[in-house]
Amino acid sequence: DAMVIQNPRYQVTQFGKPVTLSCSQTLNHNVMYWYQQKSSQAPKLLFHYYDKDFNNEADTPDNFQSRRPNTSFCFLDIRSPGLGDAAMYLCATSSAGPRNSPLHFGNGTRLTVT
Amino acid sequence: ILNVEQSPQSLHVQEGDSTNFTCSFPSSNFYALHWYRWETAKSPEALFVMTLNGDEKKKGRISATLNTKEGYSYLYIKGSQPEDSATYLCASLLDSWGKLQFGAGTQVVVTP
Protein backbone atom coordinates (compact mmCIF):
# COMPACT_ATOMS: atom_id res chain seq x y z
CA ASP A 1 0.00 0.00 0.00
CA ALA A 2 1.19 3.49 -0.79
CA MET A 3 1.90 5.32 2.40
CA VAL A 4 3.82 7.86 4.45
CA ILE A 5 6.35 6.36 6.85
CA GLN A 6 8.06 8.14 9.69
CA ASN A 7 11.07 6.87 11.57
CA PRO A 8 11.64 6.43 14.36
CA ARG A 9 8.28 6.20 16.12
CA TYR A 10 9.82 7.37 19.38
CA GLN A 11 13.03 9.38 19.67
CA VAL A 12 14.81 10.36 22.84
CA THR A 13 17.60 12.91 22.64
CA GLN A 14 19.59 14.91 25.11
CA PHE A 15 19.33 18.63 25.56
CA GLY A 16 21.47 20.25 22.88
CA LYS A 17 22.24 17.03 20.99
CA PRO A 18 21.31 17.22 17.29
CA VAL A 19 18.59 14.90 16.13
CA THR A 20 17.14 14.01 12.73
CA LEU A 21 13.65 12.73 12.05
CA SER A 22 12.87 11.10 8.75
CA CYS A 23 9.86 10.75 6.52
CA SER A 24 9.41 8.75 3.36
CA GLN A 25 6.49 8.41 0.99
CA THR A 26 5.52 6.03 -1.77
CA LEU A 27 2.66 8.22 -3.01
CA ASN A 28 4.85 10.29 -5.34
CA HIS A 29 3.25 13.45 -3.98
CA ASN A 30 4.72 16.86 -4.82
CA VAL A 31 4.09 18.50 -1.50
CA MET A 32 5.52 17.42 1.85
CA TYR A 33 4.86 19.05 5.20
CA TRP A 34 6.30 18.95 8.70
CA TYR A 35 3.97 19.71 11.58
CA GLN A 36 4.76 19.98 15.27
CA GLN A 37 2.10 19.12 17.81
CA LYS A 38 2.52 19.75 21.51
CA SER A 39 0.18 18.19 24.00
CA SER A 40 -3.51 19.11 23.43
CA GLN A 41 -2.55 21.88 21.03
CA ALA A 42 -3.24 22.32 17.33
CA PRO A 43 -0.63 20.88 14.97
CA LYS A 44 1.60 23.74 13.88
CA LEU A 45 3.12 23.91 10.40
CA LEU A 46 6.92 24.21 10.52
CA PHE A 47 7.69 24.10 6.79
CA HIS A 48 6.64 22.55 3.55
CA TYR A 49 8.12 21.64 0.19
CA TYR A 50 6.47 22.00 -3.17
CA ASP A 51 8.76 19.71 -5.13
CA LYS A 52 12.18 21.13 -4.20
CA ASP A 53 10.88 24.58 -3.34
CA PHE A 54 11.29 25.06 0.39
CA ASN A 55 8.86 27.23 2.35
CA ASN A 56 9.65 28.12 5.92
CA GLU A 57 6.97 29.43 8.26
CA ALA A 58 7.92 32.83 9.66
CA ASP A 59 7.72 31.66 13.26
CA THR A 60 9.64 28.40 12.81
CA PRO A 61 12.77 28.66 14.98
CA ASP A 62 16.16 28.69 13.24
CA ASN A 63 16.97 25.61 15.29
CA PHE A 64 14.76 23.64 12.90
CA GLN A 65 16.03 22.78 9.45
CA SER A 66 14.74 20.50 6.73
CA ARG A 67 16.07 18.64 3.72
CA ARG A 68 14.32 16.99 0.82
CA PRO A 69 16.94 15.17 -1.25
CA ASN A 70 14.35 13.62 -3.58
CA THR A 71 10.59 13.25 -4.00
CA SER A 72 10.38 10.33 -1.62
CA PHE A 73 12.31 11.52 1.40
CA CYS A 74 12.17 14.48 3.72
CA PHE A 75 14.15 15.10 6.91
CA LEU A 76 13.66 17.33 9.90
CA ASP A 77 16.86 18.35 11.66
CA ILE A 78 16.79 19.90 15.11
CA ARG A 79 20.24 21.34 15.63
CA SER A 80 20.15 21.95 19.38
CA PRO A 81 16.99 20.52 20.92
CA GLY A 82 15.61 22.25 23.95
CA LEU A 83 13.09 20.94 26.45
CA GLY A 84 10.43 22.97 24.67
CA ASP A 85 10.96 21.00 21.48
CA ALA A 86 9.52 17.85 22.98
CA ALA A 87 6.47 17.15 20.85
CA MET A 88 4.87 14.89 18.28
CA TYR A 89 6.26 15.60 14.81
CA LEU A 90 3.99 14.75 11.91
CA CYS A 91 4.97 14.43 8.29
CA ALA A 92 2.28 14.75 5.65
CA THR A 93 2.03 14.74 1.88
CA SER A 94 -0.36 16.16 -0.67
CA SER A 95 -0.66 15.45 -4.37
CA ALA A 96 -1.08 19.01 -5.58
CA GLY A 97 -2.17 21.07 -2.63
CA PRO A 98 -5.04 20.65 -0.19
CA ARG A 99 -7.62 22.77 -1.97
CA ASN A 100 -9.33 19.61 -3.16
CA SER A 101 -7.16 16.81 -1.84
CA PRO A 102 -6.59 15.68 1.72
CA LEU A 103 -3.24 15.38 3.44
CA HIS A 104 -1.78 11.92 3.97
CA PHE A 105 -0.04 11.64 7.31
CA GLY A 106 2.60 9.39 8.75
CA ASN A 107 2.25 7.91 12.23
CA GLY A 108 4.41 10.64 13.69
CA THR A 109 7.59 10.68 15.73
CA ARG A 110 7.28 11.49 19.40
CA LEU A 111 10.38 13.35 20.51
CA THR A 112 11.49 13.42 24.12
CA VAL A 113 14.30 15.74 25.21
CA THR A 114 16.09 14.86 28.44
CA ILE B 1 -12.10 34.72 14.17
CA LEU B 2 -8.39 34.61 13.39
CA ASN B 3 -7.64 31.04 14.41
CA VAL B 4 -9.32 27.72 13.88
CA GLU B 5 -11.21 26.79 17.01
CA GLN B 6 -12.91 23.55 17.91
CA SER B 7 -15.46 22.93 20.60
CA PRO B 8 -15.89 21.18 22.83
CA GLN B 9 -12.34 20.13 23.63
CA SER B 10 -13.60 16.70 24.65
CA LEU B 11 -16.84 14.84 25.01
CA HIS B 12 -18.01 11.49 26.30
CA VAL B 13 -20.76 9.70 24.43
CA GLN B 14 -22.72 6.61 25.28
CA GLU B 15 -22.61 3.88 22.67
CA GLY B 16 -25.57 4.27 20.35
CA ASP B 17 -26.03 7.97 20.98
CA SER B 18 -25.48 10.58 18.31
CA THR B 19 -23.26 13.59 18.80
CA ASN B 20 -21.91 16.63 17.03
CA PHE B 21 -19.22 19.22 17.50
CA THR B 22 -18.04 22.42 15.93
CA CYS B 23 -15.15 23.88 13.99
CA SER B 24 -14.96 27.67 13.63
CA PHE B 25 -12.62 29.26 11.11
CA PRO B 26 -11.89 32.63 9.51
CA SER B 27 -14.63 33.23 6.95
CA SER B 28 -12.62 35.71 4.89
CA ASN B 29 -10.48 34.26 2.07
CA PHE B 30 -11.94 30.80 2.48
CA TYR B 31 -10.39 28.07 0.36
CA ALA B 32 -11.24 24.72 1.92
CA LEU B 33 -12.04 23.01 5.19
CA HIS B 34 -10.62 19.61 6.11
CA TRP B 35 -11.72 17.08 8.74
CA TYR B 36 -9.43 14.34 10.04
CA ARG B 37 -9.88 11.51 12.52
CA TRP B 38 -6.85 10.68 14.66
CA GLU B 39 -6.97 7.46 16.64
CA THR B 40 -4.38 6.79 19.30
CA ALA B 41 -1.15 5.29 17.93
CA LYS B 42 -2.30 5.76 14.34
CA SER B 43 -1.87 8.45 11.72
CA PRO B 44 -4.51 11.12 11.18
CA GLU B 45 -6.96 9.91 8.57
CA ALA B 46 -8.77 12.23 6.21
CA LEU B 47 -12.55 12.30 6.50
CA PHE B 48 -13.66 15.19 4.33
CA VAL B 49 -12.41 18.06 2.22
CA MET B 50 -15.13 20.66 1.80
CA THR B 51 -15.05 23.72 -0.38
CA LEU B 52 -18.61 24.88 -1.14
CA ASN B 53 -20.87 26.86 1.15
CA GLY B 54 -23.79 24.68 2.20
CA ASP B 55 -21.94 21.51 1.29
CA GLU B 56 -22.76 18.37 3.20
CA LYS B 57 -20.61 15.25 3.06
CA LYS B 58 -21.17 11.80 4.48
CA LYS B 59 -18.97 8.80 5.19
CA GLY B 60 -20.81 5.96 6.84
CA ARG B 61 -22.26 7.24 10.11
CA ILE B 62 -20.20 10.43 10.01
CA SER B 63 -21.31 13.55 8.19
CA ALA B 64 -20.23 17.18 8.02
CA THR B 65 -21.77 20.47 7.00
CA LEU B 66 -20.11 23.70 5.97
CA ASN B 67 -21.09 27.35 6.30
CA THR B 68 -18.38 29.47 4.74
CA LYS B 69 -20.21 32.78 5.19
CA GLU B 70 -20.32 32.52 8.95
CA GLY B 71 -17.19 30.41 9.27
CA TYR B 72 -18.25 27.14 10.86
CA SER B 73 -18.52 23.45 10.16
CA TYR B 74 -20.28 20.76 12.14
CA LEU B 75 -19.26 17.12 12.32
CA TYR B 76 -21.97 14.63 13.23
CA ILE B 77 -21.59 11.05 14.40
CA LYS B 78 -24.78 9.03 14.25
CA GLY B 79 -25.17 6.04 16.55
CA SER B 80 -21.69 6.30 18.08
CA GLN B 81 -19.64 3.14 18.40
CA PRO B 82 -16.53 2.53 20.53
CA GLU B 83 -14.42 2.53 17.35
CA ASP B 84 -15.44 6.17 16.81
CA SER B 85 -13.31 7.10 19.82
CA ALA B 86 -10.63 9.42 18.45
CA THR B 87 -9.56 13.03 18.23
CA TYR B 88 -11.28 14.83 15.39
CA LEU B 89 -9.26 17.64 13.85
CA CYS B 90 -10.46 20.29 11.48
CA ALA B 91 -8.19 22.51 9.41
CA SER B 92 -8.82 25.58 7.31
CA LEU B 93 -6.85 26.22 4.14
CA LEU B 94 -5.50 29.75 4.50
CA ASP B 95 -4.18 30.29 0.99
CA SER B 96 -4.34 28.75 -2.44
CA TRP B 97 -1.13 26.73 -2.29
CA GLY B 98 -1.50 24.77 0.85
CA LYS B 99 -1.11 26.25 4.31
CA LEU B 100 -3.58 24.39 6.50
CA GLN B 101 -4.26 25.82 9.93
CA PHE B 102 -5.47 23.18 12.33
CA GLY B 103 -7.68 23.40 15.37
CA ALA B 104 -6.69 21.68 18.60
CA GLY B 105 -9.24 18.94 18.05
CA THR B 106 -12.26 17.46 19.79
CA GLN B 107 -11.50 14.27 21.66
CA VAL B 108 -14.44 11.86 21.52
CA VAL B 109 -14.70 8.93 23.90
CA VAL B 110 -17.50 6.45 23.25
CA THR B 111 -18.28 4.20 26.17
CA PRO B 112 -20.11 0.88 25.82
Side-chain angles (χ1 to χ4, degrees), chain B residues 82-94:
Chain B
E83 58 265 30
D84 296 327
S85 296
T87 295
Y88 291 81
L89 294 168
C90 71
S92 178
L93 186 60
L94 298 182

Side-chain angles (χ1 to χ4, degrees), chain B residues 17-46:
Chain B
D17 288 350
S18 297
T19 189
N20 65 83
F21 37 94
T22 308
C23 172
S24 301
F25 55 88
S27 55
S28 58
N29 296 322
F30 174 81
Y31 289 91
L33 194 282
H34 291 219
W35 281 102
Y36 294 86
R37 173 170 58 201
W38 193 2
E39 296 177 65
T40 303
K42 295 186 178 180
S43 57
E45 172 199 2

Side-chain angles (χ1 to χ4, degrees), chain A residues 34 36 38 44-47 54 56-66 76-82 84-85 89:
Chain A
W34 279 106
Q36 178 195 61
K38 297 185 179 180
K44 178 182 175 295
L45 181 63
L46 295 174
F47 10 65
F54 175 71
N56 195 33
E57 291 302 299
D59 57 355
T60 298
D62 293 340
N63 198 24
F64 289 79
Q65 302 287 317
S66 183
L76 171 62
D77 302 308
I78 309 177
R79 292 192 294 190
S80 181
D85 297 328
Y89 290 87

